[in-house]
Amino acid sequence: MLIKIYDKVIALAGHKQAEKYLAIVSFIESSFFPIPPDVMLTPMVIAKPKNWFRLALLCTLSSVIGGCLGYAIGFLFWENIGQIIINFYGIEEDFSKISSVFQDYGIEIIFLAGISPLPYKLFTITSGVVGYNLFFFIIVSLIARGIRFFLVAAIFAFIGKKIRFWLEKHF
């Protein structure tokens, strides 16, 4: 199932409305979708390296807005939607552990989740469930997601064509 979704996301990266689809994937990945937007961002930047800044900004803003949806799922719809998402990914135990330390280390947790390949949706939903400060959630998410997507876009804008064939072979 994931391979089919991955292949569809890759196909969208070459679509004439790819930027719209990048925004959608970035948005939904932050709350429930399993494929990270890097999968679309990377080939789009390699294809048009001069657009790297705009693409990274689009990806960042869409991801943070989607993170706010994840926050709302945790805060307002935990019983109806949030638990289903957490159970779908089989991360109930991780969710319990993270929730217990979130109030003390929320900024650090959100930051690490935002820059790493950890499932960001787990942390956006958890932020809402524990009622973490929404302002801090948004600011830290903007910084962390910005670092992640701008770094990915910059790397592939400047050395992407050189490593494109290696990536395709080994990814």
mmCIF file of all heavy atoms in Angstrom, residues 16 35 44 51 60 63 75 93 100 114 120 125 135 153 156 165:
data_model
loop_
_atom_site.group_PDB
_atom_site.id
_atom_site.type_symbol
_atom_site.label_atom_id
_atom_site.label_comp_id
_atom_site.label_asym_id
_atom_site.label_seq_id
_atom_site.Cartn_x
_atom_site.Cartn_y
_atom_site.Cartn_z
ATOM 1 N N LYS A 16 1.873 19.218 -13.952
ATOM 2 C CA LYS A 16 1.955 20.657 -14.228
ATOM 3 C C LYS A 16 1.482 21.496 -13.039
ATOM 4 O O LYS A 16 1.844 22.655 -12.924
ATOM 5 C CB LYS A 16 1.185 21.027 -15.497
ATOM 6 C CG LYS A 16 -0.308 20.871 -15.413
ATOM 7 C CD LYS A 16 -0.982 21.282 -16.714
ATOM 8 C CE LYS A 16 -2.491 21.150 -16.582
ATOM 9 N NZ LYS A 16 -3.167 21.648 -17.773
ATOM 10 N N ILE A 35 3.348 9.578 3.825
ATOM 11 C CA ILE A 35 4.514 9.869 2.991
ATOM 12 C C ILE A 35 4.981 11.308 3.238
ATOM 13 O O ILE A 35 4.196 12.242 3.097
ATOM 14 C CB ILE A 35 4.189 9.685 1.485
ATOM 15 C CG1 ILE A 35 3.582 8.299 1.206
ATOM 16 C CG2 ILE A 35 5.422 9.953 0.632
ATOM 17 C CD1 ILE A 35 4.498 7.129 1.463
ATOM 18 N N MET A 44 11.238 17.877 -7.410
ATOM 19 C CA MET A 44 10.820 19.182 -7.930
ATOM 20 C C MET A 44 11.979 20.173 -7.915
ATOM 21 O O MET A 44 12.151 20.949 -8.853
ATOM 22 C CB MET A 44 9.639 19.722 -7.115
ATOM 23 C CG MET A 44 8.347 18.954 -7.359
ATOM 24 S SD MET A 44 7.001 19.459 -6.280
ATOM 25 C CE MET A 44 6.683 21.116 -6.896
ATOM 26 N N ASN A 51 13.914 27.363 -8.318
ATOM 27 C CA ASN A 51 12.687 27.511 -7.533
ATOM 28 C C ASN A 51 12.825 26.970 -6.107
ATOM 29 O O ASN A 51 11.841 26.879 -5.388
ATOM 30 C CB ASN A 51 11.525 26.798 -8.220
ATOM 31 C CG ASN A 51 11.154 27.422 -9.535
ATOM 32 O OD1 ASN A 51 11.572 28.531 -9.852
ATOM 33 N ND2 ASN A 51 10.382 26.712 -10.331
ATOM 34 N N THR A 60 7.161 24.369 3.850
ATOM 35 C CA THR A 60 7.208 24.717 5.273
ATOM 36 C C THR A 60 5.863 25.252 5.754
ATOM 37 O O THR A 60 5.316 24.773 6.759
ATOM 38 C CB THR A 60 8.312 25.765 5.531
ATOM 39 O OG1 THR A 60 9.569 25.209 5.162
ATOM 40 C CG2 THR A 60 8.347 26.182 6.989
ATOM 41 N N SER A 63 3.127 22.637 5.703
ATOM 42 C CA SER A 63 3.345 21.650 6.754
ATOM 43 C C SER A 63 2.910 22.187 8.122
ATOM 44 O O SER A 63 2.276 21.472 8.900
ATOM 45 C CB SER A 63 4.818 21.242 6.784
ATOM 46 O OG SER A 63 5.051 20.314 7.813
ATOM 47 N N PHE A 75 -6.672 18.088 19.994
ATOM 48 C CA PHE A 75 -7.341 18.946 20.973
ATOM 49 C C PHE A 75 -8.860 18.789 20.950
ATOM 50 O O PHE A 75 -9.498 18.709 21.995
ATOM 51 C CB PHE A 75 -6.961 20.407 20.711
ATOM 52 C CG PHE A 75 -7.375 21.351 21.798
ATOM 53 C CD1 PHE A 75 -6.673 21.410 22.991
ATOM 54 C CD2 PHE A 75 -8.467 22.195 21.628
ATOM 55 C CE1 PHE A 75 -7.050 22.285 23.999
ATOM 56 C CE2 PHE A 75 -8.846 23.075 22.627
ATOM 57 C CZ PHE A 75 -8.142 23.119 23.813
ATOM 58 N N GLU A 93 1.980 3.059 22.144
ATOM 59 C CA GLU A 93 2.957 3.082 23.233
ATOM 60 C C GLU A 93 3.839 4.326 23.145
ATOM 61 O O GLU A 93 4.101 4.986 24.158
ATOM 62 C CB GLU A 93 3.817 1.815 23.194
ATOM 63 C CG GLU A 93 4.614 1.590 24.460
ATOM 64 C CD GLU A 93 5.319 0.247 24.424
ATOM 65 O OE1 GLU A 93 4.648 -0.775 24.216
ATOM 66 O OE2 GLU A 93 6.545 0.246 24.619
ATOM 67 N N SER A 100 3.509 11.868 28.246
ATOM 68 C CA SER A 100 3.879 12.017 29.651
ATOM 69 C C SER A 100 4.998 13.034 29.876
ATOM 70 O O SER A 100 5.108 13.592 30.958
ATOM 71 C CB SER A 100 4.253 10.659 30.258
ATOM 72 O OG SER A 100 5.440 10.180 29.668
ATOM 73 N N GLY A 114 10.124 18.031 14.158
ATOM 74 C CA GLY A 114 10.016 18.860 12.964
ATOM 75 C C GLY A 114 11.185 18.743 12.016
ATOM 76 O O GLY A 114 11.031 18.894 10.804
ATOM 77 N N TYR A 120 5.938 13.267 12.242
ATOM 78 C CA TYR A 120 5.561 14.579 12.762
ATOM 79 C C TYR A 120 4.106 14.606 13.226
ATOM 80 O O TYR A 120 3.764 15.255 14.207
ATOM 81 C CB TYR A 120 5.828 15.631 11.685
ATOM 82 C CG TYR A 120 5.608 17.049 12.113
ATOM 83 C CD1 TYR A 120 6.321 17.608 13.168
ATOM 84 C CD2 TYR A 120 4.696 17.849 11.447
ATOM 85 C CE1 TYR A 120 6.120 18.920 13.550
ATOM 86 C CE2 TYR A 120 4.493 19.161 11.818
ATOM 87 C CZ TYR A 120 5.196 19.695 12.874
ATOM 88 O OH TYR A 120 4.995 20.995 13.242
ATOM 89 N N ILE A 125 -0.506 15.855 16.841
ATOM 90 C CA ILE A 125 -1.691 15.368 17.539
ATOM 91 C C ILE A 125 -1.459 15.391 19.046
ATOM 92 O O ILE A 125 -2.325 15.836 19.814
ATOM 93 C CB ILE A 125 -2.085 13.958 17.042
ATOM 94 C CG1 ILE A 125 -2.542 14.039 15.581
ATOM 95 C CG2 ILE A 125 -3.166 13.346 17.921
ATOM 96 C CD1 ILE A 125 -2.726 12.697 14.893
ATOM 97 N N PHE A 135 0.714 28.868 20.468
ATOM 98 C CA PHE A 135 1.662 29.846 19.943
ATOM 99 C C PHE A 135 3.065 29.246 19.861
ATOM 100 O O PHE A 135 3.720 29.331 18.824
ATOM 101 C CB PHE A 135 1.675 31.106 20.818
ATOM 102 C CG PHE A 135 2.688 32.122 20.393
ATOM 103 C CD1 PHE A 135 2.461 32.929 19.284
ATOM 104 C CD2 PHE A 135 3.889 32.266 21.090
ATOM 105 C CE1 PHE A 135 3.403 33.861 18.879
ATOM 106 C CE2 PHE A 135 4.836 33.200 20.693
ATOM 107 C CZ PHE A 135 4.588 34.002 19.583
ATOM 108 N N ALA A 153 15.896 21.400 0.316
ATOM 109 C CA ALA A 153 15.778 22.099 -0.962
ATOM 110 C C ALA A 153 17.114 22.711 -1.387
ATOM 111 O O ALA A 153 17.498 22.619 -2.558
ATOM 112 C CB ALA A 153 14.699 23.176 -0.878
ATOM 113 N N PHE A 156 19.590 19.955 -2.621
ATOM 114 C CA PHE A 156 19.259 19.415 -3.931
ATOM 115 C C PHE A 156 19.293 20.473 -5.031
ATOM 116 O O PHE A 156 19.497 20.147 -6.192
ATOM 117 C CB PHE A 156 17.941 18.657 -3.897
ATOM 118 C CG PHE A 156 18.102 17.328 -3.216
ATOM 119 C CD1 PHE A 156 17.746 17.159 -1.892
ATOM 120 C CD2 PHE A 156 18.667 16.263 -3.893
ATOM 121 C CE1 PHE A 156 17.931 15.945 -1.258
ATOM 122 C CE2 PHE A 156 18.859 15.040 -3.268
ATOM 123 C CZ PHE A 156 18.489 14.885 -1.946
ATOM 124 N N PHE A 165 21.267 10.458 -10.087
ATOM 125 C CA PHE A 165 21.315 9.064 -10.533
ATOM 126 C C PHE A 165 21.659 8.116 -9.377
ATOM 127 O O PHE A 165 21.130 7.021 -9.293
ATOM 128 C CB PHE A 165 22.284 8.917 -11.698
ATOM 129 C CG PHE A 165 21.841 9.723 -12.882
ATOM 130 C CD1 PHE A 165 22.499 10.885 -13.233
ATOM 131 C CD2 PHE A 165 20.722 9.341 -13.614
ATOM 132 C CE1 PHE A 165 22.076 11.645 -14.313
ATOM 133 C CE2 PHE A 165 20.281 10.100 -14.688
ATOM 134 C CZ PHE A 165 20.958 11.257 -15.038
#
